[in-house]
Amino acid sequence: FYSATPIPPLFSYLRKVSVTNHNQVDVTCHIDVAASTLNYKVMRSLDTVTANYVHIGTIPKSTVTPIVYSDFQALTDANSYYYRIINVDSCGYDGMKTNIGRTILLKAMSNSQNMTNTLTWNDYEDWSGAVLSYKIYRGIDGVMDPNPINTLPYSGTSVNTYIDDISTYLQGEGVFDYYVEAQEGMGNIYGFSENSLSNIAKAYQDPLVFVPNAFRPEGGIVDENKIFIPTTTYVDFTEYEFSVFNRWGLQVFTTNDLKQGWDGNIKGGDKAQLGVYVYLVRFKSSKGKYIELKGTVTLLR
């Protein structure tokens, strides 16, 4: 009597899990295409406890490797997820399980007092070749630099920290975007060398505004203010307003241009009289908060 039995897989390896978009994780698996496989169950958990893994999707049998599953229900800005894939044999029974893959959760926090941003993230798990290093990428006001700002070697501390000095980047609205790319090292038993991306984390720097208390349009003293203009850093230029009023509340100057100041002339080109004027500065911070500054300035002649 001869019986045909399912051919079990010789291997099933989770090559990588990677955040590829907001709330999207791609799971890539190397499979044995010769095995008698019905389909592949994609499992996800917030920890490594076996009982906590939830079946989130199924990949049909494939004759090519690798297979890829996109998880669109992951909250990539809030959680680091563990994934594994189970081979279901032709009889419908669970078979070989892959290694575990863990996503990288990156968090960014601004330190406006010393003009730095602090990044923290968990280690990627679990490659055959282990993690070699982490590349750190930065964007400013939504424009991401394609080149990493730094590369940190794998430390094995589980939680990684990097402090980014942004004191030389004073232009813009103060929104800094970051993501981390894990690089696999040598020694993968299947010959792979993978990478995995974290979520994009944002750090919002507080605005810095300095307003002079006096100016002299005609000058006369070296380095004296000839134009009355606020000095701004990390201010949303699309929602900026700067106005000057005389003592009777009449507006003598207004602009929405961060680079334009008052030259001491009023409408019509006449010189404004010396004395005290009231200014009003309105703008939106990188966090979306509307801020209003009021004060007085003395015009000297």
Side-chain angles (χ1 to χ4, degrees), residues 121-258:
W121 67 94
N122 61 277
D123 277 332
Y124 176 86
E125 302 174 30
D126 189 20
W127 278 321
S128 170
V131 177
L132 173 65
S133 60
Y134 294 101
K135 293 182 178 180
I136 302 170
Y137 295 83
R138 176 180 60 207
I140 301 177
D141 296 336
V143 180
M144 190 66 68
D145 189 337
N147 301 308
I149 60 172
N150 208 337
T151 300
L152 301 184
Y154 174 72
S155 64
T157 56
S158 297
V159 178
N160 305 275
T161 302
Y162 178 76
I163 298 177
D164 183 28
D165 181 0
I166 47 88
S167 60
T168 58
Y169 300 93
L170 301 180
Q171 303 300 318
E173 300 173 14
V175 181
F176 293 84
D177 303 302
Y178 297 91
Y179 71 90
V180 170
E181 179 185 15
Q183 297 283 330
E184 184 177 9
M186 301 290 292
N188 187 290
I189 59 175
Y190 301 101
F192 301 128
S193 181
E194 291 288 359
N195 70 323
S196 176
L197 305 179
S198 74
N199 59 305
I200 294 179
K202 295 181 179 291
Y204 301 91
Q205 284 285 330
D206 292 333
L208 303 174
V209 180
F210 169 74
V211 184
N213 58 12
F215 77 114
R216 189 191 302 269
E218 287 78 14
I221 302 177
V222 178
D223 296 330
E224 187 174 36
N225 296 330
K226 295 182 180 180
I227 300 294
F228 176 50
I229 182 172
T231 302
T232 60
T233 299
Y234 304 143
V235 170
D236 186 344
F237 68 90
T238 63
E239 304 212 27
Y240 171 81
E241 180 184 352
F242 169 45
S243 301
V244 180
F245 305 85
N246 63 20
R247 67 181 67 185
W248 296 281
L250 297 177
Q251 186 182 83
V252 297
F253 174 79
T254 187
T255 184
N256 299 112
D257 187 349
L258 282 169

Side-chain angles (χ1 to χ4, degrees), residues 17-42:
V17 295
S18 182
V19 179
T20 54
N21 211 332
H22 179 63
N23 290 343
Q24 177 183 343
V25 175
D26 282 357
V27 183
T28 304
C29 184
H30 178 46
I31 60 170
D32 181 1
V33 297
S36 300
T37 302
L38 180 63
N39 53 47
Y40 304 88
K41 293 165 64 174
V42 182

